[in-house]
């Protein structure tokens, strides 16, 4: 083998190692964390050699870390507001893009020893979290569950203690179905929970753990966390008057035909659907990235790696959604999301 050929082979090998050593960092939502850490990331790394380090610290923390330019991407189940977008762009000199990855149902899960099936309607859910229904054998709950021996136990309504997109989805639902909740508490990543709601857990995993450990508890988590912890889930009455369990099928029904704006920010999430077979608490989740990648990327190679990751998630990654208990994006949403990815640049150079 001559020296020129030998040098070429060595250079090619070195480029392969360099590519494999690229590590992307992300932080944020716990809602899609099982999908990202158990499905997307290991499969993407296996296919490309590009490593991705994702920290599930909550949507609020993910947005802060992106704003502070310490991660390549943030992750959130609550879209940035117009004011947040403006503030971040003025601070860092680049628009932030919302790249959707999946949708999923938020389940109400509970711990009532000996009871695996429980029905609640919108009014009882709101009144439980408002603190107006305080015991499980309240006549309003009993009327919805004939034949179920409900205990006189106090209800422990658990919630997220951190800034959370899952909280945003759940409180968006409560605001949609309860004028009292909307006026007194409202929707947000963090809200002032009624005083009785003293149990707070960090992340979806933290709420699931609290419910598991606390007889009489009820809490809200992305469906995957209820399934993994073998927790029972509430069957909810939807707007059409039908009793619906959280599932991929009922979430798909709820999301069919949703109208997304050009920037793909779904401000009100998919709550209180009118679809007869739709589950009433469904949320979309996004990866948040800077359009001008020089804000966070240390090199052109790193910026290209992020674009590669985003496009992989929108194509190959979508095939993994259902197996991980999440709803895949529609072809139209994928097409529009890829168009947003195609606007990303590094020092003025297109990254498509």
């Amino acid at each position: 083998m001559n020296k020129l050929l030998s040098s070429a082979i060595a250079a090619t090998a070195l480029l392969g190692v360099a590519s494999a050593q690229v590590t992307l960092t992300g932080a944020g939502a716990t809602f899609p964390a099982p999908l990202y850490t158990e499905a997307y990331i290991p499969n993407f790394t296996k296919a490309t050699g590009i490593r991705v380090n994702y920290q599930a610290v909550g949507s609020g923390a993910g947005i802060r870390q992106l704003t502070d330019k310490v991660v390549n991407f943030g992750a959130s189940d609550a879209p940035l507001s117009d004011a947040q977008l403006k503030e971040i762009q003025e601070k860092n000199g680049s628009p932030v893009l919302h790249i959707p990855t999946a949708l999923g149902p938020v389940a109400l899960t509970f711990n009532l020893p000996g009871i695996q099936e429980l029905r609640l309607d919108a009014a009882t859910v709101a009144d439980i979290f408002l603190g107006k229904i305080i015991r499980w054998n309240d006549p309003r709950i009993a009327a919805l569950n004939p034949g179920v021996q409900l205990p006189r136990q106090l209800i422990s309504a658990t919630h997220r203690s951190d800034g959370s997109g899952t909280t945003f989805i759940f409180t968006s639902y409560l605001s949609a179905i309860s004028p009292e909740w909307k006026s007194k508490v409202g929707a947000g990543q963090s809200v002032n929970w009624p005083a009785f709601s003293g149990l707070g857990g960090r992340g979806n995993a933290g709420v699931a753990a609290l419910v598991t450990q606390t007889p009489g508890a009820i809490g809200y988590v992305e469906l995957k966390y209820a399934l993994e912890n073998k927790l029972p889930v509430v069957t909810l009455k939807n707007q059409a008057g039908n009793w619906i369990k959280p599932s991929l099928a009922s979430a798909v029904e709820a999301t069919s035909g949703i109208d997304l704006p050009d920037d793909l920010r779904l401000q009100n999430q998919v709550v209180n659907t009118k679809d007869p077979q739709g589950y009433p608490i469904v949320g979309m989740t996004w990866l948040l990235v800077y359009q001008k990648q020089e804000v966070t990327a240390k090199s052109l190679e790193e910026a290209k790696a992020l674009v590669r990751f985003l496009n992989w998630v929108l194509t190959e990654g979508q095939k993994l959604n259902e197996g991980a208990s999440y709803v895949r994006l529609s072809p139209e949403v994928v097409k529009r999301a890829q168009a947003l990815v195609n606007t990303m640049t590094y020092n003025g150079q297109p990254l498509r």
Side-chain angles (χ1 to χ4, degrees), residues 63-75:
I63 291 169
R64 286 193 297 274
Q65 290 194 35
L66 183 72
T67 303
D68 293 339
K69 302 183 292 186
V70 297
V71 292
N72 295 105
F73 63 89

Side-chain angles (χ1 to χ4, degrees), residues 92-155:
N92 294 327
S94 171
V96 173
L97 304 178
H98 288 65
I99 310 301
T101 59
L103 300 104
V106 173
L108 280 169
T109 183
F110 60 95
N111 182 344
L112 289 173
I115 298 175
Q116 292 295 309
E117 297 290 335
L118 184 71
R119 288 184 169 190
L120 296 175
D121 60 14
T124 55
V125 172
D127 282 351
I128 284 170
F129 282 87
L130 282 166
K132 298 172 73 174
I133 296 178
I134 63 172
R135 292 189 183 275
W136 280 111
N137 66 344
D138 184 283
R140 287 165 288 182
I141 299 177
L144 299 173
N145 295 275
V148 178
Q149 297 300 310
L150 294 164
R152 192 173 179 275
Q153 190 166 23
L154 287 169
I155 298 172

Side-chain angles (χ1 to χ4, degrees), residues 168-187:
F168 173 74
I169 297 167
F170 182 58
T171 56
S172 293
Y173 168 71
L174 292 176
S175 294
I177 54 94
S178 169
E180 183 176 0
W181 181 276
K182 184 176 181 179
S183 64
K184 289 184 177 179
V185 185

Side-chain angles (χ1 to χ4, degrees), residues 23 28 38 72 85 91 132 186 194 202 210 258 284 297 320 324 331 339:
T23 299
E38 298 170 19
N72 295 105
L85 285 172
K91 178 178 180 180
K132 298 172 73 174
R202 189 169 187 83
L210 273 177
I258 59 173
M284 178 175 279
L320 304 174

